[in-house]
Amino acid sequence: MPRNIVILGGGTGGTLTANRLRKHFKPSDAVISVVDKNRYHIYQPGLLFVPFGLAYADDLIRPRERQFKKGIDFYESEVDHVDIEGRKVFLDDGRALAYDALIIATGARIVPEETEGLTGDGWMEKMFTFYDAPGATALARAYNEFEGGRIVVNVADMPIKCPVAPLEFCFLTDWYFQEKGIRDKVEITYVTPLDNAFTKPRAASALAGLLDEKGVKLVTEFNTGEVDGPGGRLISYDEREVPFDLAVVIPVHSGAEFVGRSEGLGDALDFVETDKHTLQSKASPAIFAIGDAANLPASKAGSVSHFEGEILVENVIRFLADKELDASFDGHANCFIETGFSKALLIDFNYNQEPVEGHYPTKVGMPLLKESRLNHLGKLMFQWFYWHSLLPGRDIPGINPDMPTSGKHLN
Amino acid sequence: MTTTTFADRQVELTDDGFFADPSQWSEDLVPALAAADGIDELTDDHWTVIRFMRKEYLENGTGPNVRAHGKTSGYTEKQLYKLFPKGPAKVAARLAGISKPRGCI
Ligand SMILES: Cc1cc2nc3c(=O)[nH]c(=O)nc-3n(C[C@H](O)[C@H](O)[C@H](O)COP(=O)(O)OP(=O)(O)OC[C@H]3O[C@@H](n4cnc5c(N)ncnc54)[C@H](O)[C@@H]3O)c2cc1C
């Protein structure tokens, strides 16, 4: 009898997991099913470039099913809930899928309506987000027409996907209005709930330095309680205010709603409670989580899903064979940070090691925590790589899930 | 790391004022800790939140951030800020004698 492996979510993590599992299991050994609520796969890192006219949302989208290898069943539906005891997933359309192993890869979603006023008067007119395709496209129009004034870039609260993207957005905003020749008429302020530009000390000071160099003001420890569109103000819970003419807000994020509807599966924000080394859910040994859906203390980034993939697949195989799991995921993340003017920075870190200077993956490699053109090319190449290597689930020679230390300046 | 005295007891604090060793904490220290953070009157609501933080920490190894807190503690984020105007996550964590809430990354 073939085993049933069900994967919820066919984005970055779900697709690469499905493809890796399909390579491992013969069709007679496993039926692999993927459920996703919509039929298009979007390359989310590309959204960063849309507001600046450097990419178009349509070019970032491909049919979801075509990213799967042959022999993977695709169900287009919302998930209603998981019956953990009964090992069954109930879909919105009434169907139920029984599983021997379940992988949750439904990512994180933005919840702008949770912040008072954000989706009220002025939403998509003077308050925008670039975290989805309609928002990024509307913002491109607004930037194109912008003639000067105060722009604020605000992270409403953590956690968010790709925590460096708002900083990249600030750097590119500086570049964009310099190119337009009106930088002197534009004031840019980065407003964050963190106590510095980023969480990890060495990267935070490097990034705060870059903001300063580019004339971007920094407001820290600001927990956005309300956005007043007509009055043009961000208001924090402790009653501080930041005025704006145009606000780019990264809304608060939650996990998928069905996680909340599945008793015992998720935390307060509907992220799946997951063991940070094995990727097994705490609710049941038959459930695993990958990517943004998991509540790990790691970045919510595509690179993390990629590094998790190899270990997750190994563990699903071991679980189905009644073997002990491999507890080796180290929280490895690797992010390019676009800084404008065709340059970028690279950071590489894990649960224990903060980003530091040096080179990646070895002493001869891309410079870490330092602006370079090579890193910018790396960032652009990543898109090709995403569709042709990462999603198909190929291993990349020289790039391993474990974070390398040989090129890093560790003291 | 500094050693400070609260209610005649010596405790180790990290540089940003959190307990270096959460086992050094007990409830009788809370009034003194609160005073040091500018809270003169401890209401039942303060106590409920402080005990909630402590419990979350013992179960999960970190205090919740304000938003998660607002969803599980029975207090809205606004009410939490009324109780701890300088920031519920940090101040309540200091009063509950737990380490600094892990910044999300
Ligand atoms: C603006 C932006 C820039 C970014 N830049 C970078 C970057 O430079 N580098 C990087 O590494 N990462 C970046 N990321 C993050 C990266 O895109 C994500 O971390 C990654 O896609 C996570 O993969 P995932 O599989 O966990 O979730 P996703 O790829 O988001 O997939 C989740 C899938 O689940 C489906 N789904 C959700 N809920 C349900 C439901 N209830 N029922 C059925 N299906 C459901 C969704 O339709 C989706 O297809 C960026 C993200 C954004 C928004």
Side-chain angles (χ1 to χ4, degrees):
Chain A
M1 275 285 278
R3 315 297 291 274
N4 285 313
I5 303 175
V6 175
I7 300 168
L8 304 182
T12 312
T15 302
L16 68 89
T17 301
N19 288 334
R20 279 176 180 264
L21 285 166
R22 190 67 292 168
K23 268 194 266 187
H24 178 84
F25 285 110
K26 289 199 290 278
S28 54
D29 290 338
V31 175
I32 300 172
S33 311
V34 181
V35 180
D36 201 291
K37 64 183 171 189
N38 76 46
R39 68 179 69 197
Y40 294 104
H41 189 137
I42 179 160
Y43 174 67
Q44 297 176 57
L47 290 172
L48 169 70
F49 297 101
V50 172
F52 308 101
L54 297 170
Y56 295 94
D58 285 351
D59 298 335
L60 305 174
I61 288 167
R62 299 194 179 183
R64 192 178 303 286
E65 242 187 302
R66 274 211 239 137
Q67 314 312 317
F68 300 130
K69 289 196 183 311
K70 266 214 298 265
I72 291 171
D73 299 332
F74 180 59
Y75 294 81
E76 188 184 325
S77 173
E78 273 267 354
V79 177
D80 187 73
H81 72 283
V82 180
D83 171 3
I84 297 172
E85 288 287 300
R87 298 203 174 177
K88 252 187 200 164
V89 178
F90 287 84
L91 306 186
D92 246 25
D93 60 14
R95 283 180 292 189
L97 299 173
Y99 63 81
D100 295 293
L102 177 70
I103 295 140
I104 300 180
T106 35
R109 65 196 169 96
I110 54 170
V111 200
E113 54 285 359
E114 206 176 296
T115 299
E116 196 177 324
L118 180 54
T119 51
D121 281 353
W123 177 235
M124 299 285 235
E125 284 159 19
K126 62 200 277 201
M127 291 104 77
F128 299 88
T129 185
F130 64 96
Y131 265 53
D132 62 15
T137 304
L139 184 53
R141 229 171 294 131
Y143 260 33
N144 188 35
E145 289 162 8
F146 197 72
E147 286 171 352
R150 295 158 303 183
I151 294 178
V152 302
V153 179
N154 171 228
V155 175
D157 203 357
M158 301 298 281
I160 60 168
K161 295 192 247 199
C162 196
V164 293
L167 287 162
E168 300 180 272
F169 189 86
C170 290
F171 299 143
L172 286 170
T173 295
D174 165 65
W175 163 81
Y176 180 83
F177 289 108
Q178 283 202 42
E179 289 288 295
K180 255 182 133 175
I182 58 166
R183 180 64 181 88
D184 56 329
K185 298 203 183 79
V186 181
E187 185 184 301
I188 311 169
T189 309
Y190 183 54
V191 182
T192 168
L194 300 175
D195 56 12
N196 202 338
F198 194 59
T199 43
K200 311 278 177 163
R202 269 158 87 171
S205 76
L207 291 165
L210 269 176
L211 286 175
D212 190 49
E213 241 172 68
K214 293 174 187 290
V216 178
K217 291 199 187 119
L218 177 62
V219 175
T220 58
E221 296 192 82
F222 190 95
N223 277 82
T224 307
E226 186 185 340
V227 181
D228 170 13
R233 299 177 300 164
L234 301 178
I235 307 162
S236 68
Y237 280 110
D238 58 359
E239 289 164 5
R240 285 178 289 155
E241 293 187 4
V242 179
F244 65 79
D245 298 300
L246 191 159
V248 180
V249 179
I250 291 80
V252 300
H253 287 43
S254 288
E257 282 165 302
F258 79 84
V259 175
R261 288 193 294 263
S262 309
E263 188 69 36
L265 194 55
D267 65 11
L269 304 180
D270 295 342
F271 293 112
V272 178
E273 303 227 38
T274 308
D275 182 280
K276 67 179 191 173
H277 297 301
T278 63
L279 307 175
Q280 190 175 43
S281 120
K282 294 190 177 160
S284 159
I287 303 179
F288 294 81
I290 184 170
D292 299 348
N295 78 336
L296 305 183
S299 272
K300 296 202 179 298
S303 62
V304 175
S305 306
H306 169 72
F307 296 133
E308 287 169 341
E310 203 173 310
I311 292 154
L312 177 94
V313 164
E314 173 66 24
N315 278 341
V316 170
I317 294 165
R318 289 191 187 193
F319 168 75
L320 289 173
D322 276 330
K323 288 198 186 129
E324 199 181 324
L325 303 190
D326 169 18
S328 71
F329 184 61
D330 67 355
H332 187 192
N334 180 285
C335 308
F336 289 105
I337 305 175
E338 190 71 13
T339 55
F341 301 94
S342 303
K343 287 192 183 159
L345 214 94
L346 178 64
I347 56 175
D348 190 67
F349 56 107
N350 69 13
Y351 290 141
N352 301 317
Q353 177 58 53
E354 65 163 317
V356 293
E357 297 79 1
H359 289 85
Y360 178 86
T362 59
K363 281 192 186 105
V364 282
M366 306 212 226
L368 289 168
L369 213 46
K370 201 169 145 238
E371 281 189 287
S372 81
R373 281 181 193 275
L374 188 60
N375 289 336
H376 166 71
L377 294 175
K379 175 113 188 164
L380 296 185
M381 256 164 55
F382 190 65
Q383 180 165 356
W384 184 90
F385 199 69
Y386 182 85
W387 296 113
H388 299 282
S389 192
L390 191 144
L391 291 183
R394 298 207 172 95
D395 292 330
I396 303 140
I399 307 285
N400 298 315
D402 301 352
M403 185 198 73
T405 51
S406 72
K408 291 195 169 74
H409 304 167
L410 292 176
N411 291 306
Chain B
M1 199 94 85
T2 51
T3 306
T4 319
T5 308
F6 288 106
D8 298 330
R9 279 238 309 275
Q10 290 209 333
V11 296
E12 301 275 312
L13 296 184
T14 61
D15 293 339
D16 32 17
F18 295 89
F19 272 62
D21 174 6
S23 73
Q24 289 185 337
W25 180 91
S26 59
E27 287 201 353
D28 54 309
L29 296 178
V30 174
L33 292 167
D37 248 314
I39 297 171
D40 297 327
E41 203 200 323
L42 276 172
T43 62
D44 288 349
D45 288 333
H46 286 106
W47 277 109
T48 309
V49 172
I50 291 164
R51 290 185 181 127
F52 177 81
M53 289 293 276
R54 185 82 191 171
K55 181 172 143 275
E56 285 279 311
Y57 173 79
L58 293 176
E59 282 170 11
N60 302 320
T62 181
N65 77 359
V66 187
R67 192 165 146 246
H69 201 148
K71 287 186 189 286
T72 46
S73 67
Y75 295 89
T76 64
E77 280 179 73
K78 269 208 169 127
Q79 289 168 326
L80 289 168
Y81 270 93
K82 283 254 148 57
L83 289 169
F84 303 96
K86 286 196 224 150
K90 279 191 179 174
V91 175
R94 274 202 285 264
L95 303 200
I98 66 178
S99 46
K100 187 176 175 178
R102 234 186 352 233
C104 304
I105 44 167

